[in-house]
Amino acid sequence: MEDNCFNQTVFLVTLLLAIAASSVRGHSTRVGFYSSTCPRAESIIKSTVESHFKLDPTIAPGLLRMHFHDCFVRGCDASILIDGPNAEKTAPASQFLKGYKVIDDAKFQLECECPGVVSCADILALTARDSVVLTKGTSWAVPTGRRDGTVSNASDTDGNMPGFQDTIDVLKQKFAAKGLNTRDLVTLVGAHTIGTAACEVFSYRLYNFTSTGADPSINPAFVSHLQALCPQNRDGSRQIALDTGSADRFDTSFFANLREGKGILESDQRLWTDDLTKKFVQRFWEVRGSLGLSFNVEFGKSMVKMSNIEVKTGTMGEIRKVCSKVNEY
């Protein structure tokens, strides 16, 4: 009798655990999450990005960076979009982000189409993908179903966001903390194939970096080129292409530039100095070799991994009515 009771208890516990596990799996992100609740969601977002891109192509790298910044701080929950005196968007690491109007525009149209259904976090993930496609990169299927966070603190960027002066070991640690490996690290940094950086972010490498002058990891001829673009003690806000010669096209020339000592950011150029990261850099621009990797294919894979960092699904978080404001109840 006792054995029978014990067996029934074990069965009941096992059943409850199975149901709980199934529930968790059922609330994970998936491709086509809005297929029945808001069928036109992805097409609305795509057309919105396209219309803004025609007016200002620089929103493409802006939206891609914004999604990255969002995911590395509190997970992919659109906390980067929340307004406030001490919100994430006010942190120094986020000061050059752009594309907020695109998100607001897409959200407004989606609220007209299907109110309270599509999250701001999913809008960020989808606009990042659409931005890559608009700059001649390859598309990928974006799992959706994220919900929006309700907290946004600038202080949370400390220790989480990869920095342009980070060593490779520090970058590996920050990526590993988010479930991303070294291949993901090199792949996602490859997003710098589009976009720009302000002179003030990297000009320290050009003047008095060492007792003899500029950062020795920079190609000497390239130093002169950059010094002409970013004169010492002049306008530090001037924007310089992160991928010299191909700043508007999503391609592998960024990796070729690292090989030639033409990385703009110190952390980018360091990918060429570490044995493991260097191997991936080489494999991306040696796509015809036996060890070659398709950057576009790997980028889509790594973006899917990154876009699932600490996501809120099911009943977690909320679906904001306005992306810059937490809902009032």
Side-chain angles (χ1 to χ4, degrees):
M1 184 72 174
E2 291 182 357
D3 287 343
N4 185 47
C5 182
F6 174 77
N7 289 335
Q8 287 181 338
T9 302
V10 171
F11 173 76
L12 180 59
V13 170
T14 302
L15 179 61
L16 289 173
L17 288 174
I19 292 173
S22 176
S23 177
V24 171
R25 286 195 296 270
H27 287 157
S28 63
T29 60
R30 67 177 188 272
V31 175
F33 182 84
Y34 299 111
S35 59
S36 60
T37 56
C38 193
R40 295 183 60 241
E42 293 198 24
S43 62
I44 289 173
I45 293 170
K46 179 182 178 182
S47 63
T48 303
V49 177
E50 289 174 344
S51 63
H52 281 268
F53 180 80
K54 289 178 181 178
L55 298 174
D56 179 12
T58 65
I59 60 101
L63 291 168
L64 186 54
R65 307 273 191 279
M66 192 182 296
H67 182 44
F68 182 93
H69 281 240
D70 183 48
C71 290
F72 266 76
V73 182
R74 304 189 72 86
C76 308
D77 67 350
S79 52
I80 187 65
L81 302 176
I82 298 175
D83 286 338
N86 298 301
E88 282 176 38
K89 62 171 60 175
T90 67
S94 304
Q95 63 180 319
F96 292 112
L97 293 180
K98 64 182 303 182
Y100 294 106
K101 290 183 179 179
V102 183
I103 304 299
D104 290 341
D105 189 0
K107 181 61 173 175
F108 176 80
Q109 294 182 55
L110 288 166
E111 285 299 301
C112 292
E113 178 82 8
C114 35
V117 174
V118 182
S119 70
C120 300
D122 278 341
I123 295 174
L124 276 173
L126 291 163
T127 58
R129 187 269 311 276
D130 295 340
S131 295
V132 169
V133 174
L134 285 171
T135 50
K136 310 305 179 184
T138 301
S139 184
W140 65 90
V142 177
T144 45
R146 301 165 191 79
R147 288 171 66 84
D148 301 322
T150 58
V151 177
S152 182
N153 295 313
S155 59
D156 289 334
T157 62
D158 299 337
N160 284 303
M161 275 303 302
F164 57 85
Q165 290 181 295
D166 284 348
T167 64
I168 293 299
D169 285 342
V170 169
L171 289 174
K172 287 178 180 177
Q173 291 167 8
K174 288 181 177 179
F175 274 72
K178 304 300 179 182
L180 302 171
N181 58 33
T182 302
R183 178 184 293 198
D184 297 317
L185 161 60
V186 179
T187 303
L188 293 171
V189 171
H192 289 168
T193 184
I194 57 174
T196 61
C199 287
E200 64 187 74
V201 172
F202 65 89
S203 59
Y204 69 91
R205 301 179 67 204
L206 309 179
Y207 307 97
N208 304 314
F209 185 84
T210 67
S211 59
T212 57
D215 183 344
S217 68
I218 307 176
N219 184 313
F222 194 51
V223 170
S224 299
H225 171 72
L226 292 178
Q227 288 177 334
L229 295 173
C230 300
Q232 193 170 18
N233 301 320
R234 299 287 289 276
D235 182 12
S237 64
R238 183 177 182 181
Q239 297 291 315
I240 306 299
L242 286 167
D243 184 4
T244 301
S246 183
D248 301 323
R249 188 179 182 88
F250 200 89
D251 55 25
T252 60
S253 65
F254 169 78
F255 299 108
N257 278 332
L258 298 184
R259 175 191 58 183
E260 297 171 8
K262 294 183 178 180
I264 298 296
L265 302 182
E266 186 176 10
S267 56
D268 287 355
Q269 190 58 52
R270 281 175 170 163
L271 294 178
W272 189 249
T273 64
D274 176 83
D275 288 342
L276 185 53
T277 57
K278 181 178 180 179
K279 288 180 181 178
F280 287 114
V281 172
Q282 290 175 315
R283 292 178 70 184
F284 281 137
W285 58 261
E286 291 178 346
V287 291
R288 295 182 181 179
S290 60
L291 297 177
L293 287 172
S294 170
F295 172 54
N296 273 284
V297 171
E298 294 302 319
F299 191 78
K301 293 178 182 177
S302 291
M303 284 293 286
V304 170
K305 286 180 66 176
M306 185 193 77
S307 69
N308 275 307
I309 294 175
E310 301 168 30
V311 294
K312 295 170 177 61
T313 58
T315 58
M316 301 170 66
E318 64 180 14
I319 303 297
R320 285 184 222 141
K321 298 175 183 178
V322 177
C323 288
S324 61
K325 298 179 181 179
V326 175
N327 292 345
E328 296 181 1
Y329 298 98

